[in-house]
């Protein structure tokens, strides 16, 4: 079982999100980081179907961004 993201990991993600807000850089890595965190949250809460759905949608968005950047 995967461990839940720590507060510092979530804080780091929010810092990356804030830093990229006014940037035209590739959003793919940020979307992948978000998907990783949400997947870990969903894995730590196996009875939460909403968390699983949100994680699935986040991974799909990250995968689309990755494909579009190639």
């Amino acid at each position: 079982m995967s461990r839940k993201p720590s507060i510092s990991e979530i804080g780091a993600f929010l810092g990356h999100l804030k830093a990229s807000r006014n940037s035209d850089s590739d959003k793919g890595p940020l979307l992948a980081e978000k998907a990783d965190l949400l997947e870990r949250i969903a894995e730590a809460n196996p009875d939460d179907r909403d968390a699983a759905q949100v994680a699935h949608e986040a991974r799909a968005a990250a995968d689309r961004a990755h494909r579009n950047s190639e």
Side-chain angles (χ1 to χ4, degrees):
M1 177 184 262
S2 179
R3 68 175 180 77
K4 286 193 249 185
S6 68
I7 296 298
S8 62
E9 289 171 311
I10 293 171
F13 168 72
L14 293 174
H16 299 152
L17 182 63
K18 183 178 179 183
S20 72
R21 184 175 44 195
N22 296 323
S23 172
D24 290 334
S25 64
D26 178 18
K27 302 297 187 215
L30 187 63
L31 289 172
E33 183 179 4
K34 176 183 173 183
D36 291 342
L37 292 172
L38 290 171
E39 286 171 340
R40 287 172 49 201
I41 290 168
E43 288 174 14
N45 299 288
D47 295 331
D48 189 338
R49 290 184 180 169
D50 290 335
Q53 182 62 33
V54 169
H56 176 76
E57 291 170 7
R59 177 56 58 199
D63 291 347
R64 279 192 305 274
H66 178 73
R67 283 192 304 272
N68 290 338
S69 69
E70 292 180 335

